[in-house]
PDB file of all heavy atoms in Angstrom:
ATOM      1  N   GLU S 175     -70.743-166.129-230.565  1.00  0.00           N
ATOM      2  CA  GLU S 175     -72.144-165.935-230.221  1.00  0.00           C
ATOM      3  C   GLU S 175     -73.072-166.300-231.372  1.00  0.00           C
ATOM      4  O   GLU S 175     -74.124-166.912-231.163  1.00  0.00           O
ATOM      5  CB  GLU S 175     -72.376-164.482-229.785  1.00  0.00           C
ATOM      6  CG  GLU S 175     -71.693-164.124-228.469  1.00  0.00           C
ATOM      7  CD  GLU S 175     -72.004-162.700-228.050  1.00  0.00           C
ATOM      8  OE1 GLU S 175     -72.545-161.942-228.892  1.00  0.00           O
ATOM      9  OE2 GLU S 175     -71.706-162.335-226.898  1.00  0.00           O
ATOM     10  N   ALA S 176     -72.690-165.938-232.589  1.00  0.00           N
ATOM     11  CA  ALA S 176     -73.557-166.258-233.728  1.00  0.00           C
ATOM     12  C   ALA S 176     -73.684-167.762-233.917  1.00  0.00           C
ATOM     13  O   ALA S 176     -74.782-168.280-234.152  1.00  0.00           O
ATOM     14  CB  ALA S 176     -73.003-165.590-234.993  1.00  0.00           C
ATOM     15  N   ALA S 177     -72.562-168.471-233.797  1.00  0.00           N
ATOM     16  CA  ALA S 177     -72.611-169.928-233.938  1.00  0.00           C
ATOM     17  C   ALA S 177     -73.387-170.571-232.793  1.00  0.00           C
ATOM     18  O   ALA S 177     -74.114-171.553-232.996  1.00  0.00           O
ATOM     19  CB  ALA S 177     -71.192-170.491-233.998  1.00  0.00           C
ATOM     20  N   MET S 178     -73.269-170.018-231.591  1.00  0.00           N
ATOM     21  CA  MET S 178     -74.002-170.559-230.447  1.00  0.00           C
ATOM     22  C   MET S 178     -75.503-170.359-230.621  1.00  0.00           C
ATOM     23  O   MET S 178     -76.303-171.271-230.341  1.00  0.00           O
ATOM     24  CB  MET S 178     -73.522-169.890-229.159  1.00  0.00           C
ATOM     25  CG  MET S 178     -74.097-170.460-227.895  1.00  0.00           C
ATOM     26  SD  MET S 178     -73.399-169.676-226.426  1.00  0.00           S
ATOM     27  CE  MET S 178     -74.139-170.677-225.134  1.00  0.00           C
ATOM     28  N   LEU S 179     -75.911-169.183-231.091  1.00  0.00           N
ATOM     29  CA  LEU S 179     -77.331-168.937-231.328  1.00  0.00           C
ATOM     30  C   LEU S 179     -77.854-169.851-232.427  1.00  0.00           C
ATOM     31  O   LEU S 179     -78.956-170.411-232.332  1.00  0.00           O
ATOM     32  CB  LEU S 179     -77.537-167.472-231.700  1.00  0.00           C
ATOM     33  CG  LEU S 179     -78.964-167.057-232.063  1.00  0.00           C
ATOM     34  CD1 LEU S 179     -79.909-167.305-230.896  1.00  0.00           C
ATOM     35  CD2 LEU S 179     -79.002-165.593-232.484  1.00  0.00           C
ATOM     36  N   ARG S 180     -77.065-170.028-233.468  1.00  0.00           N
ATOM     37  CA  ARG S 180     -77.472-170.897-234.566  1.00  0.00           C
ATOM     38  C   ARG S 180     -77.630-172.336-234.086  1.00  0.00           C
ATOM     39  O   ARG S 180     -78.582-173.030-234.467  1.00  0.00           O
ATOM     40  CB  ARG S 180     -76.437-170.819-235.694  1.00  0.00           C
ATOM     41  CG  ARG S 180     -76.888-171.475-236.991  1.00  0.00           C
ATOM     42  CD  ARG S 180     -75.809-171.388-238.068  1.00  0.00           C
ATOM     43  NE  ARG S 180     -75.318-170.025-238.226  1.00  0.00           N
ATOM     44  CZ  ARG S 180     -74.096-169.628-237.879  1.00  0.00           C
ATOM     45  NH1 ARG S 180     -73.232-170.507-237.375  1.00  0.00           N
ATOM     46  NH2 ARG S 180     -73.721-168.389-238.038  1.00  0.00           N
ATOM     47  N   LEU S 181     -76.719-172.791-233.236  1.00  0.00           N
ATOM     48  CA  LEU S 181     -76.812-174.155-232.696  1.00  0.00           C
ATOM     49  C   LEU S 181     -78.064-174.319-231.847  1.00  0.00           C
ATOM     50  O   LEU S 181     -78.790-175.326-231.968  1.00  0.00           O
ATOM     51  CB  LEU S 181     -75.571-174.469-231.869  1.00  0.00           C
ATOM     52  CG  LEU S 181     -75.591-175.774-231.069  1.00  0.00           C
ATOM     53  CD1 LEU S 181     -75.658-176.967-232.012  1.00  0.00           C
ATOM     54  CD2 LEU S 181     -74.377-175.873-230.153  1.00  0.00           C
ATOM     55  N   ALA S 182     -78.347-173.340-230.984  1.00  0.00           N
ATOM     56  CA  ALA S 182     -79.521-173.438-230.109  1.00  0.00           C
ATOM     57  C   ALA S 182     -80.808-173.484-230.921  1.00  0.00           C
ATOM     58  O   ALA S 182     -81.734-174.254-230.601  1.00  0.00           O
ATOM     59  CB  ALA S 182     -79.536-172.268-229.132  1.00  0.00           C
ATOM     60  N   LEU S 183     -80.898-172.675-231.970  1.00  0.00           N
ATOM     61  CA  LEU S 183     -82.123-172.643-232.772  1.00  0.00           C
ATOM     62  C   LEU S 183     -82.239-173.869-233.667  1.00  0.00           C
ATOM     63  O   LEU S 183     -83.333-174.440-233.824  1.00  0.00           O
ATOM     64  CB  LEU S 183     -82.136-171.369-233.619  1.00  0.00           C
ATOM     65  CG  LEU S 183     -82.162-170.036-232.861  1.00  0.00           C
ATOM     66  CD1 LEU S 183     -82.139-168.874-233.832  1.00  0.00           C
ATOM     67  CD2 LEU S 183     -83.375-169.944-231.952  1.00  0.00           C
ATOM     68  N   THR S 184     -81.123-174.292-234.252  1.00  0.00           N
ATOM     69  CA  THR S 184     -81.161-175.404-235.199  1.00  0.00           C
ATOM     70  C   THR S 184     -81.591-176.700-234.523  1.00  0.00           C
ATOM     71  O   THR S 184     -82.424-177.454-235.048  1.00  0.00           O
ATOM     72  CB  THR S 184     -79.792-175.581-235.856  1.00  0.00           C
ATOM     73  OG1 THR S 184     -79.426-174.370-236.516  1.00  0.00           O
ATOM     74  CG2 THR S 184     -79.813-176.716-236.853  1.00  0.00           C
ATOM     75  N   ARG S 185     -81.030-176.980-233.354  1.00  0.00           N
ATOM     76  CA  ARG S 185     -81.367-178.255-232.711  1.00  0.00           C
ATOM     77  C   ARG S 185     -82.799-178.276-232.204  1.00  0.00           C
ATOM     78  O   ARG S 185     -83.414-179.346-232.134  1.00  0.00           O
ATOM     79  CB  ARG S 185     -80.383-178.556-231.591  1.00  0.00           C
ATOM     80  CG  ARG S 185     -80.444-177.627-230.397  1.00  0.00           C
ATOM     81  CD  ARG S 185     -79.426-178.049-229.362  1.00  0.00           C
ATOM     82  NE  ARG S 185     -79.574-177.324-228.103  1.00  0.00           N
ATOM     83  CZ  ARG S 185     -78.879-177.578-227.005  1.00  0.00           C
ATOM     84  NH1 ARG S 185     -77.977-178.539-227.009  1.00  0.00           N
ATOM     85  NH2 ARG S 185     -79.077-176.893-225.907  1.00  0.00           N
ATOM     86  N   LEU S 186     -83.364-177.115-231.838  1.00  0.00           N
ATOM     87  CA  LEU S 186     -84.761-177.087-231.422  1.00  0.00           C
ATOM     88  C   LEU S 186     -85.695-177.217-232.617  1.00  0.00           C
ATOM     89  O   LEU S 186     -86.735-177.885-232.544  1.00  0.00           O
ATOM     90  CB  LEU S 186     -85.055-175.797-230.650  1.00  0.00           C
ATOM     91  CG  LEU S 186     -84.416-175.688-229.263  1.00  0.00           C
ATOM     92  CD1 LEU S 186     -84.796-174.369-228.599  1.00  0.00           C
ATOM     93  CD2 LEU S 186     -84.833-176.845-228.374  1.00  0.00           C
ATOM     94  N   ARG S 187     -85.346-176.580-233.730  1.00  0.00           N
ATOM     95  CA  ARG S 187     -86.180-176.709-234.925  1.00  0.00           C
ATOM     96  C   ARG S 187     -86.114-178.122-235.484  1.00  0.00           C
ATOM     97  O   ARG S 187     -87.092-178.597-236.079  1.00  0.00           O
ATOM     98  CB  ARG S 187     -85.727-175.687-235.958  1.00  0.00           C
ATOM     99  CG  ARG S 187     -86.109-174.245-235.588  1.00  0.00           C
ATOM    100  CD  ARG S 187     -85.406-173.217-236.429  1.00  0.00           C
ATOM    101  NE  ARG S 187     -85.783-171.852-236.018  1.00  0.00           N
ATOM    102  CZ  ARG S 187     -85.139-170.763-236.392  1.00  0.00           C
ATOM    103  NH1 ARG S 187     -84.075-170.859-237.198  1.00  0.00           N
ATOM    104  NH2 ARG S 187     -85.536-169.569-235.969  1.00  0.00           N
ATOM    105  N   ALA S 188     -84.976-178.792-235.287  1.00  0.00           N
ATOM    106  CA  ALA S 188     -84.891-180.189-235.718  1.00  0.00           C
ATOM    107  C   ALA S 188     -85.811-181.084-234.901  1.00  0.00           C
ATOM    108  O   ALA S 188     -86.207-182.168-235.358  1.00  0.00           O
ATOM    109  CB  ALA S 188     -83.443-180.681-235.605  1.00  0.00           C
ATOM    110  N   LEU S 189     -86.174-180.635-233.683  1.00  0.00           N
ATOM    111  CA  LEU S 189     -87.113-181.374-232.843  1.00  0.00           C
ATOM    112  C   LEU S 189     -88.552-180.926-233.054  1.00  0.00           C
ATOM    113  O   LEU S 189     -89.429-181.258-232.252  1.00  0.00           O
ATOM    114  CB  LEU S 189     -86.728-181.194-231.366  1.00  0.00           C
ATOM    115  CG  LEU S 189     -85.347-181.714-230.965  1.00  0.00           C
ATOM    116  CD1 LEU S 189     -85.029-181.331-229.532  1.00  0.00           C
ATOM    117  CD2 LEU S 189     -85.266-183.207-231.140  1.00  0.00           C
ATOM    118  N   ASN S 190     -88.779-180.115-234.119  1.00  0.00           N
ATOM    119  CA  ASN S 190     -90.123-179.632-234.486  1.00  0.00           C
ATOM    120  C   ASN S 190     -90.682-178.637-233.477  1.00  0.00           C
ATOM    121  O   ASN S 190     -91.901-178.576-233.252  1.00  0.00           O
ATOM    122  CB  ASN S 190     -91.097-180.799-234.672  1.00  0.00           C
ATOM    123  CG  ASN S 190     -90.694-181.715-235.810  1.00  0.00           C
ATOM    124  OD1 ASN S 190     -90.196-181.256-236.832  1.00  0.00           O
ATOM    125  ND2 ASN S 190     -90.895-183.010-235.618  1.00  0.00           N
ATOM    126  N   TYR S 191     -89.815-177.844-232.873  1.00  0.00           N
ATOM    127  CA  TYR S 191     -90.252-176.755-232.005  1.00  0.00           C
ATOM    128  C   TYR S 191     -90.187-175.448-232.782  1.00  0.00           C
ATOM    129  O   TYR S 191     -89.196-175.160-233.461  1.00  0.00           O
ATOM    130  CB  TYR S 191     -89.377-176.632-230.769  1.00  0.00           C
ATOM    131  CG  TYR S 191     -89.622-177.689-229.721  1.00  0.00           C
ATOM    132  CD1 TYR S 191     -88.669-178.666-229.464  1.00  0.00           C
ATOM    133  CD2 TYR S 191     -90.798-177.699-228.985  1.00  0.00           C
ATOM    134  CE1 TYR S 191     -88.886-179.643-228.500  1.00  0.00           C
ATOM    135  CE2 TYR S 191     -91.026-178.666-228.018  1.00  0.00           C
ATOM    136  CZ  TYR S 191     -90.068-179.632-227.781  1.00  0.00           C
ATOM    137  OH  TYR S 191     -90.292-180.593-226.835  1.00  0.00           O
ATOM    138  N   SER S 192     -91.221-174.634-232.682  1.00  0.00           N
ATOM    139  CA  SER S 192     -91.183-173.271-233.208  1.00  0.00           C
ATOM    140  C   SER S 192     -90.422-172.408-232.214  1.00  0.00           C
ATOM    141  O   SER S 192     -90.805-172.323-231.040  1.00  0.00           O
ATOM    142  CB  SER S 192     -92.603-172.723-233.401  1.00  0.00           C
ATOM    143  OG  SER S 192     -93.341-173.541-234.291  1.00  0.00           O
ATOM    144  N   VAL S 193     -89.354-171.742-232.654  1.00  0.00           N
ATOM    145  CA  VAL S 193     -88.482-171.047-231.720  1.00  0.00           C
ATOM    146  C   VAL S 193     -87.872-169.832-232.395  1.00  0.00           C
ATOM    147  O   VAL S 193     -87.631-169.820-233.610  1.00  0.00           O
ATOM    148  CB  VAL S 193     -87.365-171.990-231.199  1.00  0.00           C
ATOM    149  CG1 VAL S 193     -86.510-172.501-232.337  1.00  0.00           C
ATOM    150  CG2 VAL S 193     -86.517-171.312-230.143  1.00  0.00           C
ATOM    151  N   ALA S 194     -87.666-168.802-231.612  1.00  0.00           N
ATOM    152  CA  ALA S 194     -86.917-167.614-232.009  1.00  0.00           C
ATOM    153  C   ALA S 194     -85.962-167.284-230.871  1.00  0.00           C
ATOM    154  O   ALA S 194     -86.234-167.596-229.703  1.00  0.00           O
ATOM    155  CB  ALA S 194     -87.850-166.440-232.296  1.00  0.00           C
ATOM    156  N   GLY S 195     -84.847-166.640-231.197  1.00  0.00           N
ATOM    157  CA  GLY S 195     -83.848-166.369-230.168  1.00  0.00           C
ATOM    158  C   GLY S 195     -83.082-165.099-230.454  1.00  0.00           C
ATOM    159  O   GLY S 195     -83.089-164.573-231.570  1.00  0.00           O
ATOM    160  N   ALA S 196     -82.416-164.600-229.425  1.00  0.00           N
ATOM    161  CA  ALA S 196     -81.601-163.399-229.552  1.00  0.00           C
ATOM    162  C   ALA S 196     -80.561-163.393-228.451  1.00  0.00           C
ATOM    163  O   ALA S 196     -80.784-163.938-227.360  1.00  0.00           O
ATOM    164  CB  ALA S 196     -82.469-162.135-229.480  1.00  0.00           C
ATOM    165  N   ILE S 197     -79.428-162.767-228.738  1.00  0.00           N
ATOM    166  CA  ILE S 197     -78.360-162.555-227.757  1.00  0.00           C
ATOM    167  C   ILE S 197     -78.195-161.053-227.596  1.00  0.00           C
ATOM    168  O   ILE S 197     -78.047-160.326-228.586  1.00  0.00           O
ATOM    169  CB  ILE S 197     -77.047-163.214-228.203  1.00  0.00           C
ATOM    170  CG1 ILE S 197     -77.214-164.735-228.271  1.00  0.00           C
ATOM    171  CG2 ILE S 197     -75.904-162.848-227.258  1.00  0.00           C
ATOM    172  CD1 ILE S 197     -75.964-165.473-228.736  1.00  0.00           C
ATOM    173  N   ALA S 198     -78.224-160.584-226.344  1.00  0.00           N
ATOM    174  CA  ALA S 198     -78.175-159.151-226.064  1.00  0.00           C
ATOM    175  C   ALA S 198     -77.458-158.914-224.743  1.00  0.00           C
ATOM    176  O   ALA S 198     -77.239-159.854-223.962  1.00  0.00           O
ATOM    177  CB  ALA S 198     -79.590-158.571-226.028  1.00  0.00           C
ATOM    178  N   PRO S 199     -77.108-157.645-224.453  1.00  0.00           N
ATOM    179  CA  PRO S 199     -76.388-157.351-223.207  1.00  0.00           C
ATOM    180  C   PRO S 199     -77.255-157.409-221.960  1.00  0.00           C
ATOM    181  O   PRO S 199     -76.720-157.455-220.853  1.00  0.00           O
ATOM    182  CB  PRO S 199     -75.848-155.929-223.425  1.00  0.00           C
ATOM    183  CG  PRO S 199     -75.972-155.661-224.874  1.00  0.00           C
ATOM    184  CD  PRO S 199     -77.123-156.483-225.345  1.00  0.00           C
ATOM    185  N   THR S 200     -78.581-157.367-222.088  1.00  0.00           N
ATOM    186  CA  THR S 200     -79.469-157.389-220.933  1.00  0.00           C
ATOM    187  C   THR S 200     -80.546-158.449-221.126  1.00  0.00           C
ATOM    188  O   THR S 200     -80.857-158.859-222.260  1.00  0.00           O
ATOM    189  CB  THR S 200     -80.144-156.020-220.707  1.00  0.00           C
ATOM    190  OG1 THR S 200     -81.004-155.729-221.821  1.00  0.00           O
ATOM    191  CG2 THR S 200     -79.098-154.911-220.574  1.00  0.00           C
ATOM    192  N   ILE S 201     -81.134-158.863-220.011  1.00  0.00           N
ATOM    193  CA  ILE S 201     -82.217-159.850-220.066  1.00  0.00           C
ATOM    194  C   ILE S 201     -83.425-159.261-220.785  1.00  0.00           C
ATOM    195  O   ILE S 201     -84.052-159.910-221.631  1.00  0.00           O
ATOM    196  CB  ILE S 201     -82.583-160.306-218.643  1.00  0.00           C
ATOM    197  CG1 ILE S 201     -81.412-161.061-218.000  1.00  0.00           C
ATOM    198  CG2 ILE S 201     -83.836-161.173-218.657  1.00  0.00           C
ATOM    199  CD1 ILE S 201     -81.657-161.474-216.565  1.00  0.00           C
ATOM    200  N   GLY S 202     -83.765-158.008-220.459  1.00  0.00           N
ATOM    201  CA  GLY S 202     -84.920-157.379-221.094  1.00  0.00           C
ATOM    202  C   GLY S 202     -84.753-157.234-222.591  1.00  0.00           C
ATOM    203  O   GLY S 202     -85.702-157.434-223.358  1.00  0.00           O
ATOM    204  N   ALA S 203     -83.546-156.883-223.032  1.00  0.00           N
ATOM    205  CA  ALA S 203     -83.316-156.735-224.468  1.00  0.00           C
ATOM    206  C   ALA S 203     -83.378-158.076-225.180  1.00  0.00           C
ATOM    207  O   ALA S 203     -83.950-158.187-226.280  1.00  0.00           O
ATOM    208  CB  ALA S 203     -81.970-156.061-224.701  1.00  0.00           C
ATOM    209  N   ALA S 204     -82.805-159.125-224.586  1.00  0.00           N
ATOM    210  CA  ALA S 204     -82.860-160.452-225.208  1.00  0.00           C
ATOM    211  C   ALA S 204     -84.295-160.940-225.310  1.00  0.00           C
ATOM    212  O   ALA S 204     -84.693-161.534-226.328  1.00  0.00           O
ATOM    213  CB  ALA S 204     -82.007-161.430-224.409  1.00  0.00           C
ATOM    214  N   TRP S 205     -85.092-160.700-224.281  1.00  0.00           N
ATOM    215  CA  TRP S 205     -86.505-161.106-224.331  1.00  0.00           C
ATOM    216  C   TRP S 205     -87.252-160.319-225.393  1.00  0.00           C
ATOM    217  O   TRP S 205     -88.044-160.885-226.166  1.00  0.00           O
ATOM    218  CB  TRP S 205     -87.150-160.880-222.958  1.00  0.00           C
ATOM    219  CG  TRP S 205     -88.519-161.440-222.813  1.00  0.00           C
ATOM    220  CD1 TRP S 205     -88.864-162.666-222.337  1.00  0.00           C
ATOM    221  CD2 TRP S 205     -89.760-160.780-223.154  1.00  0.00           C
ATOM    222  NE1 TRP S 205     -90.221-162.822-222.349  1.00  0.00           N
ATOM    223  CE2 TRP S 205     -90.803-161.684-222.839  1.00  0.00           C
ATOM    224  CE3 TRP S 205     -90.068-159.543-223.671  1.00  0.00           C
ATOM    225  CZ2 TRP S 205     -92.139-161.367-223.049  1.00  0.00           C
ATOM    226  CZ3 TRP S 205     -91.412-159.223-223.890  1.00  0.00           C
ATOM    227  CH2 TRP S 205     -92.434-160.130-223.569  1.00  0.00           C
ATOM    228  N   ALA S 206     -87.020-159.001-225.465  1.00  0.00           N
ATOM    229  CA  ALA S 206     -87.741-158.153-226.406  1.00  0.00           C
ATOM    230  C   ALA S 206     -87.409-158.512-227.850  1.00  0.00           C
ATOM    231  O   ALA S 206     -88.310-158.647-228.695  1.00  0.00           O
ATOM    232  CB  ALA S 206     -87.414-156.686-226.130  1.00  0.00           C
ATOM    233  N   VAL S 207     -86.129-158.692-228.165  1.00  0.00           N
ATOM    234  CA  VAL S 207     -85.739-158.987-229.539  1.00  0.00           C
ATOM    235  C   VAL S 207     -86.230-160.368-229.952  1.00  0.00           C
ATOM    236  O   VAL S 207     -86.691-160.565-231.091  1.00  0.00           O
ATOM    237  CB  VAL S 207     -84.206-158.869-229.679  1.00  0.00           C
ATOM    238  CG1 VAL S 207     -83.752-159.303-231.067  1.00  0.00           C
ATOM    239  CG2 VAL S 207     -83.763-157.438-229.415  1.00  0.00           C
ATOM    240  N   SER S 208     -86.157-161.353-229.041  1.00  0.00           N
ATOM    241  CA  SER S 208     -86.611-162.704-229.395  1.00  0.00           C
ATOM    242  C   SER S 208     -88.111-162.751-229.643  1.00  0.00           C
ATOM    243  O   SER S 208     -88.589-163.598-230.411  1.00  0.00           O
ATOM    244  CB  SER S 208     -86.226-163.694-228.292  1.00  0.00           C
ATOM    245  OG  SER S 208     -86.898-163.386-227.071  1.00  0.00           O
ATOM    246  N   HIS S 209     -88.875-161.840-229.032  1.00  0.00           N
ATOM    247  CA  HIS S 209     -90.328-161.840-229.202  1.00  0.00           C
ATOM    248  C   HIS S 209     -90.791-161.001-230.380  1.00  0.00           C
ATOM    249  O   HIS S 209     -91.786-161.351-231.037  1.00  0.00           O
ATOM    250  CB  HIS S 209     -90.999-161.330-227.925  1.00  0.00           C
ATOM    251  CG  HIS S 209     -91.176-162.372-226.865  1.00  0.00           C
ATOM    252  ND1 HIS S 209     -92.392-162.880-226.502  1.00  0.00           N
ATOM    253  CD2 HIS S 209     -90.272-163.006-226.087  1.00  0.00           C
ATOM    254  CE1 HIS S 209     -92.239-163.782-225.540  1.00  0.00           C
ATOM    255  NE2 HIS S 209     -90.953-163.869-225.267  1.00  0.00           N
ATOM    256  N   PHE S 210     -90.123-159.860-230.642  1.00  0.00           N
ATOM    257  CA  PHE S 210     -90.671-158.880-231.575  1.00  0.00           C
ATOM    258  C   PHE S 210     -89.714-158.511-232.709  1.00  0.00           C
ATOM    259  O   PHE S 210     -89.931-157.526-233.394  1.00  0.00           O
ATOM    260  CB  PHE S 210     -91.060-157.601-230.810  1.00  0.00           C
ATOM    261  CG  PHE S 210     -92.137-157.825-229.794  1.00  0.00           C
ATOM    262  CD1 PHE S 210     -91.827-158.088-228.473  1.00  0.00           C
ATOM    263  CD2 PHE S 210     -93.473-157.793-230.161  1.00  0.00           C
ATOM    264  CE1 PHE S 210     -92.822-158.285-227.531  1.00  0.00           C
ATOM    265  CE2 PHE S 210     -94.474-157.989-229.231  1.00  0.00           C
ATOM    266  CZ  PHE S 210     -94.156-158.251-227.910  1.00  0.00           C
ATOM    267  N   ALA S 211     -88.654-159.284-232.892  1.00  0.00           N
ATOM    268  CA  ALA S 211     -87.740-159.045-234.012  1.00  0.00           C
ATOM    269  C   ALA S 211     -87.205-160.387-234.482  1.00  0.00           C
ATOM    270  O   ALA S 211     -87.473-161.428-233.880  1.00  0.00           O
ATOM    271  CB  ALA S 211     -86.603-158.105-233.601  1.00  0.00           C
TER     272      ALA S 211
END
């Protein structure tokens, strides 16, 4: 999971996109952590 998250963020930042991400057990938790942590 850590490598997958790193891959998703790295390739988007290489395309000059501002991005944050998170992996969590629920949709609400993944959305909350990616926005506010």
Side-chain angles (χ1 to χ4, degrees):
E175 293 183 348
M178 186 177 186
L179 177 60
R180 191 181 309 111
L181 172 64
L183 297 179
T184 302
R185 67 179 189 174
L186 290 181
R187 288 167 181 166
L189 298 173
N190 297 323
Y191 285 111
S192 301
V193 60
I197 296 179
T200 65
I201 295 177
W205 189 93
V207 174
S208 64
H209 277 250
F210 297 94

